[in-house]
Amino acid sequence: MGAPGDIEDLIGLMARLPGLGPRSARRAVLMLLKKRGPLMAPLAQAMAHVALSARDCSVCGNIGTEDTCPICTDPRRQTGEICVVEDVADLWAMERAGAFRGRYHVLGGTLSALDGLGPDELRIPLLVRRVQEEQTREVILALNATVDGQTTAHYIADALAATGVQVSSLAQGVPIGGELDYLDDGTIGAALRARRRV
Amino acid sequence: MGAPGDIEDLIGLMARLPGLGPRSARRAVLMLLKKRGPLMAPLAQAMAHVALSARDCSVCGNIGTEDTCPICTDPRRQTGEICVVEDVADLWAMERAGAFRGRYHVLGGTLSALDGLGPDELRIPLLVRRVQEEQTREVILALNATVDGQTTAHYIADALAATGVQVSSLAQGVPIGGELDYLDDGTIGAALRARRRV
């Protein structure tokens, strides 16, 4: 309260964004109001455009502005490798790293009886079909190193066993720039077990 | 990088909001993308509407959606009292408190030689004219208790001296719910000097 009605409504909607509360949403809207021309109008326009045009890629589940996302339609991407990620955010993180040249499959979460997320909700049957149809050589499981992520990884490996595709997962170990003193015991143990000859 | 172009543009604009950085802007946009219907479209619409309709009140400097703000046009607000605030955020805070029934005057900052803010930029001549034209009985200076705020308060009191209007400022003391043990020395000293008989 305090601001005129329309502006209060906008503050209320902004406050629902992650990382913003009622107070910081108010501050953000005030800043937008002071920069109506250079920032607020373009932001509103960009948001309306994306809200209208964004859709889930029918092949991999990535979010883009076309029916099939730019990665799935890019002829330079290798077709023989599918990288399985939990979420679109993870796909974007992989793309920022720029280390993978194949295609993706977004699950949309991890198996969770509590949240009612079974294999069908996670697009796992779709993944099995893609592997068969696209003559995939390798499926790389890039799931989070959490209990849920690893449970889901095991389930997918089982589901893909009949197709004969090679299934691998991201290596676990010391992160680049990581200092042993600050690493948790689990990571140090995993890095020791997966040690390599130099 | 990582997301398609239009979405990256939106993330870039969101990252310019106070309280959001590149990382949290990405998280906010992903959340919006997942709630395109219930949240993203209404937010874009509300923002576009406010960006188009918001304007500074020609009388007091408050931001509203009309040429004159709802407070200045409200016939139930007393005309004899003007509360001077630094910023629209302070006006909104005063309104949330609901303790003031007069009208406002928004300076838009404090006097600052460094930032090139002089009396004209702060709408101080406009305040002097309002005081004369509106037969104001009292000007209440609700400026922040900072060095800049208090310097500006003194300047305004001097500028208004010739009009004969009564000039007052917010009381300084222990905040409601405040514990002495956690208060700074300046506040305790001010509260002691302004002590009242009970």
Side-chain angles (χ1 to χ4, degrees), chain A residues 1-4 6-7 10 13-14 16-18 26 28 30-34 36 40 43-44 47-50 54 63 65 87 89 92 96, chain B residues 1-4 6-7 13-14 16-18 26 28 30-34 36 40 43-44 47-51 54 63 65 87 89 92 96:
Chain A
M1 286 177 306
D6 296 340
I7 297 177
L10 177 59
L13 287 167
M14 289 287 285
R16 290 167 59 187
L17 293 178
R26 187 174 302 279
L30 260 169
M31 188 261 212
L32 283 174
L33 283 169
K34 286 176 188 164
R36 290 197 280 279
M40 194 178 203
L43 177 57
M47 198 178 288
H49 171 70
V50 170
I63 294 179
T65 48
D87 201 272
W92 293 358
R96 283 200 298 280
Chain B
M1 284 177 308
D6 296 342
I7 298 178
L13 287 167
M14 290 286 285
R16 289 168 58 187
L17 293 179
R26 188 174 303 279
L30 261 169
M31 188 263 212
L32 284 174
L33 282 168
K34 286 176 188 164
R36 290 197 280 277
M40 194 177 201
L43 178 57
M47 198 178 288
H49 171 69
V50 170
I63 295 179
T65 49
D87 201 89
W92 293 357
R96 284 200 298 281

Short mmCIF file of all heavy atoms in Angstrom, two decimals, chain A residues 1-4 6-7 10 13-14 16-18 26 28 30-34 36 40 43-44 47-50 54 63 65 87 89 92 96, chain B residues 1-4 6-7 13-14 16-18 26 28 30-34 36 40 43-44 47-51 54 63 65 87 89 92 96:
data_model
loop_
_atom_site.label_atom_id
_atom_site.label_comp_id
_atom_site.label_asym_id
_atom_site.label_seq_id
_atom_site.Cartn_x
_atom_site.Cartn_y
_atom_site.Cartn_z
N MET A 1 0.84 -1.21 0.00
CA MET A 1 0.00 0.00 0.00
C MET A 1 0.86 1.24 0.00
O MET A 1 2.02 1.19 0.33
CB MET A 1 -0.89 0.00 1.23
CG MET A 1 -2.03 -0.99 1.15
SD MET A 1 -2.94 -0.97 2.67
CE MET A 1 -1.64 -1.26 3.85
N GLY A 2 0.27 2.37 -0.34
CA GLY A 2 0.98 3.62 -0.40
C GLY A 2 1.01 4.14 -1.82
O GLY A 2 0.78 5.32 -2.05
N ALA A 3 1.27 3.27 -2.79
CA ALA A 3 1.33 3.67 -4.18
C ALA A 3 -0.07 3.61 -4.80
O ALA A 3 -0.94 2.93 -4.28
CB ALA A 3 2.29 2.76 -4.94
N PRO A 4 -0.29 4.30 -5.93
CA PRO A 4 -1.58 4.19 -6.61
C PRO A 4 -1.87 2.74 -7.03
O PRO A 4 -0.94 1.94 -7.19
CB PRO A 4 -1.41 5.09 -7.82
CG PRO A 4 -0.32 6.04 -7.46
CD PRO A 4 0.59 5.27 -6.56
N ASP A 6 -2.73 0.84 -9.72
CA ASP A 6 -2.08 0.12 -10.82
C ASP A 6 -0.65 -0.23 -10.45
O ASP A 6 -0.15 -1.30 -10.77
CB ASP A 6 -2.05 0.99 -12.09
CG ASP A 6 -3.46 1.28 -12.59
OD1 ASP A 6 -4.37 0.53 -12.20
OD2 ASP A 6 -3.62 2.24 -13.35
N ILE A 7 0.02 0.72 -9.79
CA ILE A 7 1.43 0.51 -9.44
C ILE A 7 1.52 -0.55 -8.33
O ILE A 7 2.41 -1.40 -8.34
CB ILE A 7 2.07 1.85 -9.03
CG1 ILE A 7 2.03 2.81 -10.24
CG2 ILE A 7 3.49 1.66 -8.54
CD1 ILE A 7 2.58 4.20 -9.96
N LEU A 10 1.30 -3.92 -9.87
CA LEU A 10 2.58 -4.29 -10.49
C LEU A 10 3.57 -4.76 -9.44
O LEU A 10 4.26 -5.77 -9.62
CB LEU A 10 3.14 -3.10 -11.27
CG LEU A 10 4.50 -3.29 -11.93
CD1 LEU A 10 4.47 -4.44 -12.92
CD2 LEU A 10 4.94 -2.02 -12.63
N LEU A 13 2.78 -8.31 -8.37
CA LEU A 13 3.20 -9.33 -9.34
C LEU A 13 4.72 -9.51 -9.29
O LEU A 13 5.23 -10.64 -9.32
CB LEU A 13 2.76 -8.94 -10.75
CG LEU A 13 1.26 -9.08 -11.02
CD1 LEU A 13 0.87 -8.37 -12.32
CD2 LEU A 13 0.87 -10.55 -11.11
N MET A 14 5.44 -8.39 -9.19
CA MET A 14 6.91 -8.47 -9.14
C MET A 14 7.36 -9.22 -7.89
O MET A 14 8.37 -9.93 -7.91
CB MET A 14 7.51 -7.06 -9.12
CG MET A 14 7.39 -6.30 -10.41
SD MET A 14 8.50 -6.91 -11.70
CE MET A 14 10.05 -6.24 -11.12
N ARG A 16 6.26 -11.76 -6.65
CA ARG A 16 6.17 -13.21 -6.77
C ARG A 16 7.39 -13.81 -7.47
O ARG A 16 7.52 -15.02 -7.57
CB ARG A 16 4.89 -13.59 -7.52
CG ARG A 16 3.65 -13.31 -6.65
CD ARG A 16 2.37 -13.38 -7.43
NE ARG A 16 2.16 -14.67 -8.06
CZ ARG A 16 1.18 -14.94 -8.91
NH1 ARG A 16 0.31 -13.99 -9.23
NH2 ARG A 16 1.05 -16.13 -9.45
N LEU A 17 8.30 -12.96 -7.96
CA LEU A 17 9.51 -13.47 -8.61
C LEU A 17 10.45 -14.02 -7.54
O LEU A 17 10.53 -13.48 -6.44
CB LEU A 17 10.22 -12.36 -9.38
CG LEU A 17 9.49 -11.81 -10.59
CD1 LEU A 17 10.29 -10.69 -11.22
CD2 LEU A 17 9.26 -12.92 -11.61
N PRO A 18 11.18 -15.11 -7.86
CA PRO A 18 12.15 -15.62 -6.89
C PRO A 18 13.26 -14.58 -6.67
O PRO A 18 13.68 -13.93 -7.61
CB PRO A 18 12.71 -16.87 -7.57
CG PRO A 18 12.47 -16.66 -9.02
CD PRO A 18 11.22 -15.83 -9.13
N ARG A 26 9.09 -3.44 -4.45
CA ARG A 26 8.74 -2.02 -4.41
C ARG A 26 9.91 -1.17 -4.89
O ARG A 26 9.75 -0.25 -5.68
CB ARG A 26 8.37 -1.65 -2.97
CG ARG A 26 7.83 -0.26 -2.75
CD ARG A 26 7.38 -0.11 -1.31
NE ARG A 26 6.38 -1.08 -0.95
CZ ARG A 26 5.09 -0.96 -1.24
NH1 ARG A 26 4.67 0.10 -1.90
NH2 ARG A 26 4.23 -1.89 -0.89
N ALA A 28 12.33 -2.18 -6.85
CA ALA A 28 12.54 -2.42 -8.28
C ALA A 28 11.54 -1.61 -9.11
O ALA A 28 11.91 -1.02 -10.13
CB ALA A 28 12.41 -3.92 -8.58
N LEU A 30 9.99 1.16 -8.23
CA LEU A 30 10.34 2.59 -8.16
C LEU A 30 11.46 2.93 -9.13
O LEU A 30 11.43 3.96 -9.80
CB LEU A 30 10.79 2.94 -6.74
CG LEU A 30 9.73 3.59 -5.87
CD1 LEU A 30 10.19 3.65 -4.45
CD2 LEU A 30 9.44 5.00 -6.39
N MET A 31 12.45 2.04 -9.19
CA MET A 31 13.56 2.25 -10.11
C MET A 31 13.05 2.22 -11.55
O MET A 31 13.43 3.05 -12.37
CB MET A 31 14.61 1.16 -9.86
CG MET A 31 15.89 1.37 -10.63
SD MET A 31 15.89 0.35 -12.11
CE MET A 31 17.64 0.02 -12.24
N LEU A 32 12.14 1.28 -11.85
CA LEU A 32 11.55 1.21 -13.19
C LEU A 32 10.78 2.49 -13.50
O LEU A 32 10.84 3.02 -14.61
CB LEU A 32 10.61 0.00 -13.29
CG LEU A 32 11.27 -1.36 -13.45
CD1 LEU A 32 10.23 -2.47 -13.38
CD2 LEU A 32 12.02 -1.44 -14.77
N LEU A 33 10.03 2.99 -12.50
CA LEU A 33 9.23 4.20 -12.71
C LEU A 33 10.12 5.39 -13.04
O LEU A 33 9.74 6.27 -13.80
CB LEU A 33 8.40 4.49 -11.47
CG LEU A 33 7.15 3.62 -11.29
CD1 LEU A 33 6.56 3.81 -9.91
CD2 LEU A 33 6.12 3.96 -12.35
N LYS A 34 11.33 5.40 -12.45
CA LYS A 34 12.24 6.52 -12.72
C LYS A 34 12.92 6.36 -14.08
O LYS A 34 13.45 7.31 -14.62
CB LYS A 34 13.29 6.62 -11.61
CG LYS A 34 12.69 7.20 -10.34
CD LYS A 34 13.69 7.22 -9.21
CE LYS A 34 12.99 7.62 -7.92
NZ LYS A 34 13.80 7.29 -6.74
N ARG A 36 11.34 5.01 -16.92
CA ARG A 36 10.22 4.51 -17.72
C ARG A 36 10.61 4.30 -19.17
O ARG A 36 10.33 3.27 -19.76
CB ARG A 36 9.06 5.50 -17.65
CG ARG A 36 8.39 5.55 -16.30
CD ARG A 36 7.04 6.21 -16.41
NE ARG A 36 7.10 7.65 -16.45
CZ ARG A 36 7.23 8.45 -15.39
NH1 ARG A 36 7.36 7.92 -14.20
NH2 ARG A 36 7.24 9.76 -15.52
N MET A 40 11.83 0.52 -18.45
CA MET A 40 10.54 -0.11 -18.15
C MET A 40 9.79 -0.50 -19.43
O MET A 40 9.30 -1.63 -19.53
CB MET A 40 9.67 0.85 -17.33
CG MET A 40 8.47 0.18 -16.70
SD MET A 40 7.55 1.36 -15.71
CE MET A 40 6.70 0.24 -14.61
N LEU A 43 11.51 -3.47 -21.18
CA LEU A 43 11.36 -4.68 -20.39
C LEU A 43 9.95 -5.25 -20.54
O LEU A 43 9.77 -6.46 -20.74
CB LEU A 43 11.67 -4.39 -18.92
CG LEU A 43 11.50 -5.54 -17.93
CD1 LEU A 43 12.34 -6.73 -18.32
CD2 LEU A 43 11.88 -5.09 -16.52
N ALA A 44 8.94 -4.38 -20.48
CA ALA A 44 7.55 -4.83 -20.64
C ALA A 44 7.35 -5.45 -22.01
O ALA A 44 6.70 -6.49 -22.16
CB ALA A 44 6.60 -3.65 -20.44
N MET A 47 9.14 -8.83 -22.28
CA MET A 47 8.44 -9.85 -21.50
C MET A 47 7.17 -10.30 -22.21
O MET A 47 6.87 -11.49 -22.28
CB MET A 47 8.11 -9.29 -20.12
CG MET A 47 7.79 -10.35 -19.11
SD MET A 47 7.48 -9.64 -17.50
CE MET A 47 9.12 -9.16 -17.03
N ALA A 48 6.42 -9.34 -22.77
CA ALA A 48 5.19 -9.68 -23.49
C ALA A 48 5.52 -10.54 -24.71
O ALA A 48 4.83 -11.53 -25.01
CB ALA A 48 4.46 -8.41 -23.91
N HIS A 49 6.61 -10.18 -25.41
CA HIS A 49 7.01 -10.93 -26.60
C HIS A 49 7.36 -12.37 -26.24
O HIS A 49 6.89 -13.31 -26.89
CB HIS A 49 8.21 -10.23 -27.25
CG HIS A 49 8.83 -11.03 -28.35
ND1 HIS A 49 8.20 -11.24 -29.55
CD2 HIS A 49 10.01 -11.69 -28.43
CE1 HIS A 49 8.97 -11.99 -30.33
NE2 HIS A 49 10.08 -12.28 -29.66
N VAL A 50 8.17 -12.54 -25.18
CA VAL A 50 8.57 -13.89 -24.79
C VAL A 50 7.36 -14.68 -24.26
O VAL A 50 7.20 -15.86 -24.58
CB VAL A 50 9.71 -13.85 -23.75
CG1 VAL A 50 9.97 -15.22 -23.16
CG2 VAL A 50 10.98 -13.32 -24.39
N ALA A 54 7.14 -17.94 -26.37
CA ALA A 54 7.89 -19.05 -25.78
C ALA A 54 7.07 -20.33 -25.80
O ALA A 54 5.87 -20.31 -25.55
CB ALA A 54 8.29 -18.71 -24.34
N ILE A 63 13.17 -24.68 -23.73
CA ILE A 63 12.23 -23.59 -23.98
C ILE A 63 12.82 -22.67 -25.03
O ILE A 63 13.97 -22.23 -24.92
CB ILE A 63 11.94 -22.79 -22.70
CG1 ILE A 63 11.20 -23.69 -21.70
CG2 ILE A 63 11.08 -21.57 -23.00
CD1 ILE A 63 10.88 -23.01 -20.39
N THR A 65 11.55 -20.08 -28.80
CA THR A 65 10.46 -19.31 -29.37
C THR A 65 9.93 -19.97 -30.65
O THR A 65 9.12 -19.38 -31.35
CB THR A 65 10.92 -17.87 -29.66
OG1 THR A 65 12.16 -17.92 -30.36
CG2 THR A 65 11.14 -17.11 -28.37
N ASP A 87 16.52 -29.99 -15.88
CA ASP A 87 15.77 -28.75 -16.02
C ASP A 87 16.36 -27.90 -17.14
O ASP A 87 17.52 -28.04 -17.49
CB ASP A 87 15.85 -28.00 -14.69
CG ASP A 87 14.74 -27.00 -14.55
OD1 ASP A 87 14.93 -25.85 -15.00
OD2 ASP A 87 13.70 -27.36 -14.01
N ALA A 89 17.21 -24.92 -16.91
CA ALA A 89 18.34 -24.16 -16.34
C ALA A 89 19.64 -24.94 -16.49
O ALA A 89 20.70 -24.35 -16.77
CB ALA A 89 18.08 -23.85 -14.87
N TRP A 92 20.84 -24.73 -20.09
CA TRP A 92 21.50 -23.44 -20.34
C TRP A 92 22.89 -23.43 -19.73
O TRP A 92 23.83 -22.88 -20.31
CB TRP A 92 20.66 -22.30 -19.77
CG TRP A 92 19.35 -22.09 -20.48
CD1 TRP A 92 18.89 -22.78 -21.56
CD2 TRP A 92 18.33 -21.14 -20.16
NE1 TRP A 92 17.66 -22.32 -21.92
CE2 TRP A 92 17.28 -21.32 -21.09
CE3 TRP A 92 18.19 -20.16 -19.18
CZ2 TRP A 92 16.12 -20.54 -21.05
CZ3 TRP A 92 17.04 -19.40 -19.15
CH2 TRP A 92 16.02 -19.58 -20.08
N ARG A 96 26.32 -22.79 -21.70
CA ARG A 96 27.28 -21.74 -21.33
C ARG A 96 28.69 -22.32 -21.25
O ARG A 96 29.65 -21.67 -21.63
CB ARG A 96 26.90 -21.11 -19.98
CG ARG A 96 25.75 -20.13 -20.07
CD ARG A 96 25.73 -19.19 -18.87
NE ARG A 96 25.53 -19.89 -17.61
CZ ARG A 96 24.37 -20.32 -17.14
NH1 ARG A 96 23.28 -20.13 -17.86
NH2 ARG A 96 24.26 -20.93 -16.00
N MET B 1 24.31 -16.18 -21.62
CA MET B 1 24.29 -17.06 -22.78
C MET B 1 23.72 -18.41 -22.42
O MET B 1 23.67 -18.77 -21.26
CB MET B 1 25.71 -17.23 -23.31
CG MET B 1 26.20 -16.03 -24.08
SD MET B 1 27.89 -16.29 -24.58
CE MET B 1 28.62 -16.72 -23.02
N GLY B 2 23.33 -19.16 -23.40
CA GLY B 2 22.76 -20.46 -23.16
C GLY B 2 21.32 -20.51 -23.63
O GLY B 2 20.91 -21.44 -24.29
N ALA B 3 20.55 -19.48 -23.31
CA ALA B 3 19.14 -19.43 -23.71
C ALA B 3 19.03 -18.82 -25.11
O ALA B 3 19.94 -18.16 -25.57
CB ALA B 3 18.36 -18.59 -22.71
N PRO B 4 17.89 -19.06 -25.80
CA PRO B 4 17.69 -18.43 -27.10
C PRO B 4 17.72 -16.91 -26.99
O PRO B 4 17.47 -16.35 -25.92
CB PRO B 4 16.30 -18.92 -27.51
CG PRO B 4 16.07 -20.17 -26.72
CD PRO B 4 16.80 -19.97 -25.44
N ASP B 6 15.94 -14.10 -27.77
CA ASP B 6 14.90 -13.25 -27.18
C ASP B 6 14.89 -13.39 -25.66
O ASP B 6 14.71 -12.42 -24.93
CB ASP B 6 13.51 -13.65 -27.70
CG ASP B 6 13.41 -13.43 -29.20
OD1 ASP B 6 14.24 -12.68 -29.72
OD2 ASP B 6 12.52 -14.02 -29.82
N ILE B 7 15.07 -14.63 -25.20
CA ILE B 7 15.02 -14.89 -23.76
C ILE B 7 16.26 -14.30 -23.09
O ILE B 7 16.18 -13.73 -22.01
CB ILE B 7 14.87 -16.40 -23.51
CG1 ILE B 7 13.55 -16.89 -24.13
CG2 ILE B 7 14.92 -16.72 -22.03
CD1 ILE B 7 13.29 -18.38 -24.00
N LEU B 13 17.72 -7.49 -19.47
CA LEU B 13 16.95 -6.35 -18.96
C LEU B 13 16.57 -6.56 -17.49
O LEU B 13 16.67 -5.64 -16.67
CB LEU B 13 15.68 -6.15 -19.80
CG LEU B 13 15.90 -5.57 -21.20
CD1 LEU B 13 14.65 -5.71 -22.05
CD2 LEU B 13 16.30 -4.11 -21.11
N MET B 14 16.17 -7.80 -17.17
CA MET B 14 15.79 -8.10 -15.78
C MET B 14 16.99 -7.91 -14.84
O MET B 14 16.83 -7.51 -13.69
CB MET B 14 15.29 -9.54 -15.65
CG MET B 14 13.96 -9.79 -16.30
SD MET B 14 12.59 -9.11 -15.37
CE MET B 14 12.49 -10.29 -14.03
N ARG B 16 19.09 -5.73 -14.76
CA ARG B 16 19.36 -4.33 -14.42
C ARG B 16 18.49 -3.85 -13.27
O ARG B 16 18.66 -2.73 -12.78
CB ARG B 16 19.15 -3.45 -15.65
CG ARG B 16 20.25 -3.67 -16.69
CD ARG B 16 19.94 -3.04 -18.01
NE ARG B 16 19.72 -1.60 -17.91
CZ ARG B 16 19.30 -0.85 -18.92
NH1 ARG B 16 19.08 -1.41 -20.10
NH2 ARG B 16 19.12 0.44 -18.77
N LEU B 17 17.55 -4.69 -12.80
CA LEU B 17 16.72 -4.31 -11.66
C LEU B 17 17.54 -4.37 -10.38
O LEU B 17 18.40 -5.24 -10.23
CB LEU B 17 15.52 -5.26 -11.54
CG LEU B 17 14.49 -5.19 -12.65
CD1 LEU B 17 13.39 -6.20 -12.41
CD2 LEU B 17 13.89 -3.80 -12.73
N PRO B 18 17.29 -3.45 -9.43
CA PRO B 18 18.00 -3.53 -8.16
C PRO B 18 17.62 -4.81 -7.43
O PRO B 18 16.46 -5.22 -7.45
CB PRO B 18 17.51 -2.29 -7.40
CG PRO B 18 16.19 -1.97 -8.02
CD PRO B 18 16.28 -2.40 -9.45
N ARG B 26 18.25 -14.73 -14.34
CA ARG B 26 18.05 -15.96 -15.11
C ARG B 26 17.03 -16.86 -14.40
O ARG B 26 16.13 -17.42 -15.02
CB ARG B 26 19.39 -16.67 -15.25
CG ARG B 26 19.42 -17.86 -16.17
CD ARG B 26 20.84 -18.37 -16.33
NE ARG B 26 21.73 -17.33 -16.84
CZ ARG B 26 21.81 -17.01 -18.12
NH1 ARG B 26 21.09 -17.65 -19.01
NH2 ARG B 26 22.62 -16.05 -18.51
N ALA B 28 14.73 -15.90 -12.28
CA ALA B 28 13.40 -15.27 -12.33
C ALA B 28 12.75 -15.51 -13.69
O ALA B 28 11.56 -15.82 -13.78
CB ALA B 28 13.53 -13.78 -12.03
N LEU B 30 13.37 -17.95 -15.82
CA LEU B 30 12.99 -19.36 -15.93
C LEU B 30 11.67 -19.64 -15.21
O LEU B 30 10.81 -20.36 -15.73
CB LEU B 30 14.08 -20.25 -15.32
CG LEU B 30 15.03 -20.86 -16.31
CD1 LEU B 30 16.20 -21.49 -15.60
CD2 LEU B 30 14.31 -21.91 -17.15
N MET B 31 11.52 -19.05 -14.03
CA MET B 31 10.29 -19.21 -13.29
C MET B 31 9.13 -18.60 -14.07
O MET B 31 8.05 -19.19 -14.15
CB MET B 31 10.46 -18.55 -11.91
CG MET B 31 9.33 -18.82 -10.97
SD MET B 31 8.15 -17.46 -10.96
CE MET B 31 7.60 -17.55 -9.27
N LEU B 32 9.36 -17.43 -14.67
CA LEU B 32 8.32 -16.80 -15.47
C LEU B 32 7.96 -17.67 -16.66
O LEU B 32 6.79 -17.82 -17.01
CB LEU B 32 8.79 -15.43 -15.97
CG LEU B 32 8.78 -14.29 -14.95
CD1 LEU B 32 9.41 -13.04 -15.55
CD2 LEU B 32 7.36 -14.00 -14.51
N LEU B 33 8.99 -18.29 -17.29
CA LEU B 33 8.74 -19.12 -18.46
C LEU B 33 7.88 -20.32 -18.10
O LEU B 33 7.09 -20.80 -18.91
CB LEU B 33 10.07 -19.59 -19.06
CG LEU B 33 10.81 -18.54 -19.88
CD1 LEU B 33 12.23 -18.99 -20.19
CD2 LEU B 33 10.07 -18.25 -21.18
N LYS B 34 8.06 -20.81 -16.87
CA LYS B 34 7.26 -21.96 -16.45
C LYS B 34 5.84 -21.53 -16.07
O LYS B 34 4.95 -22.38 -16.01
CB LYS B 34 7.93 -22.66 -15.28
CG LYS B 34 9.16 -23.45 -15.72
CD LYS B 34 9.89 -24.08 -14.57
CE LYS B 34 11.21 -24.67 -15.07
NZ LYS B 34 12.11 -24.95 -13.95
N ARG B 36 4.01 -19.05 -17.71
CA ARG B 36 3.74 -18.06 -18.75
C ARG B 36 2.33 -17.51 -18.64
O ARG B 36 2.13 -16.30 -18.69
CB ARG B 36 3.92 -18.70 -20.13
CG ARG B 36 5.34 -19.03 -20.47
CD ARG B 36 5.50 -19.26 -21.96
NE ARG B 36 5.09 -20.59 -22.37
CZ ARG B 36 5.86 -21.67 -22.28
NH1 ARG B 36 7.06 -21.58 -21.74
NH2 ARG B 36 5.42 -22.83 -22.71
N MET B 40 3.54 -14.56 -16.17
CA MET B 40 4.36 -13.76 -17.09
C MET B 40 3.51 -12.80 -17.92
O MET B 40 3.83 -11.61 -18.04
CB MET B 40 5.15 -14.68 -18.01
CG MET B 40 6.26 -13.98 -18.76
SD MET B 40 7.17 -15.17 -19.75
CE MET B 40 8.71 -14.31 -19.99
N LEU B 43 2.09 -9.95 -15.78
CA LEU B 43 3.16 -9.05 -15.35
C LEU B 43 3.58 -8.14 -16.49
O LEU B 43 3.75 -6.93 -16.32
CB LEU B 43 4.35 -9.87 -14.83
CG LEU B 43 5.59 -9.09 -14.40
CD1 LEU B 43 5.25 -8.07 -13.32
CD2 LEU B 43 6.66 -10.03 -13.87
N ALA B 44 3.74 -8.72 -17.70
CA ALA B 44 4.12 -7.92 -18.86
C ALA B 44 3.06 -6.87 -19.15
O ALA B 44 3.38 -5.71 -19.45
CB ALA B 44 4.31 -8.84 -20.07
N MET B 47 3.10 -4.11 -16.48
CA MET B 47 4.27 -3.27 -16.63
C MET B 47 4.11 -2.32 -17.81
O MET B 47 4.43 -1.13 -17.72
CB MET B 47 5.51 -4.14 -16.80
CG MET B 47 6.80 -3.42 -16.54
SD MET B 47 8.21 -4.51 -16.70
CE MET B 47 8.03 -5.49 -15.24
N ALA B 48 3.59 -2.85 -18.93
CA ALA B 48 3.39 -2.01 -20.10
C ALA B 48 2.37 -0.91 -19.80
O ALA B 48 2.55 0.26 -20.18
CB ALA B 48 2.90 -2.86 -21.28
N HIS B 49 1.32 -1.28 -19.05
CA HIS B 49 0.28 -0.30 -18.71
C HIS B 49 0.86 0.82 -17.85
O HIS B 49 0.64 2.01 -18.12
CB HIS B 49 -0.86 -1.01 -17.97
CG HIS B 49 -1.87 -0.08 -17.39
ND1 HIS B 49 -2.73 0.66 -18.17
CD2 HIS B 49 -2.13 0.27 -16.11
CE1 HIS B 49 -3.49 1.41 -17.40
NE2 HIS B 49 -3.15 1.19 -16.13
N VAL B 50 1.63 0.45 -16.83
CA VAL B 50 2.20 1.47 -15.94
C VAL B 50 3.24 2.30 -16.68
O VAL B 50 3.30 3.53 -16.52
CB VAL B 50 2.80 0.81 -14.68
CG1 VAL B 50 3.60 1.81 -13.87
CG2 VAL B 50 1.70 0.21 -13.81
N ALA B 51 4.06 1.65 -17.53
CA ALA B 51 5.08 2.38 -18.28
C ALA B 51 4.44 3.46 -19.14
O ALA B 51 4.98 4.55 -19.31
CB ALA B 51 5.90 1.42 -19.14
N ALA B 54 2.18 6.02 -16.30
CA ALA B 54 2.76 6.68 -15.13
C ALA B 54 3.29 8.05 -15.49
O ALA B 54 3.89 8.24 -16.54
CB ALA B 54 3.88 5.80 -14.54
N ILE B 63 4.44 9.95 -8.02
CA ILE B 63 4.22 9.25 -9.29
C ILE B 63 2.84 8.62 -9.27
O ILE B 63 2.48 7.90 -8.34
CB ILE B 63 5.29 8.18 -9.53
CG1 ILE B 63 6.65 8.84 -9.70
CG2 ILE B 63 4.96 7.36 -10.77
CD1 ILE B 63 7.78 7.87 -9.91
N THR B 65 -0.88 7.74 -12.10
CA THR B 65 -1.27 7.47 -13.48
C THR B 65 -2.10 8.61 -14.04
O THR B 65 -2.64 8.49 -15.14
CB THR B 65 -2.03 6.14 -13.56
OG1 THR B 65 -3.05 6.13 -12.56
CG2 THR B 65 -1.10 4.97 -13.31
N ASP B 87 11.93 11.51 -1.51
CA ASP B 87 11.73 10.60 -2.64
C ASP B 87 10.32 10.05 -2.62
O ASP B 87 9.66 10.02 -1.57
CB ASP B 87 12.73 9.45 -2.50
CG ASP B 87 12.96 8.75 -3.81
OD1 ASP B 87 13.86 9.19 -4.54
OD2 ASP B 87 12.23 7.80 -4.10
N ALA B 89 9.53 7.02 -2.71
CA ALA B 89 9.52 5.87 -1.79
C ALA B 89 9.18 6.33 -0.38
O ALA B 89 8.45 5.64 0.36
CB ALA B 89 10.87 5.17 -1.81
N TRP B 92 5.45 7.03 -0.14
CA TRP B 92 4.71 5.77 0.00
C TRP B 92 4.83 5.22 1.42
O TRP B 92 3.88 4.69 1.98
CB TRP B 92 5.20 4.73 -1.00
CG TRP B 92 4.90 5.08 -2.43
CD1 TRP B 92 4.22 6.17 -2.89
CD2 TRP B 92 5.27 4.34 -3.59
NE1 TRP B 92 4.16 6.14 -4.26
CE2 TRP B 92 4.79 5.04 -4.71
CE3 TRP B 92 5.98 3.15 -3.80
CZ2 TRP B 92 4.98 4.59 -6.02
CZ3 TRP B 92 6.16 2.70 -5.10
CH2 TRP B 92 5.67 3.41 -6.19
N ARG B 96 1.82 4.46 3.95
CA ARG B 96 1.60 3.16 4.59
C ARG B 96 1.38 3.33 6.08
O ARG B 96 0.56 2.65 6.68
CB ARG B 96 2.79 2.23 4.34
CG ARG B 96 2.82 1.65 2.93
CD ARG B 96 3.68 0.40 2.86
NE ARG B 96 5.08 0.65 3.21
CZ ARG B 96 5.97 1.18 2.40
NH1 ARG B 96 5.62 1.54 1.17
NH2 ARG B 96 7.20 1.36 2.79
#
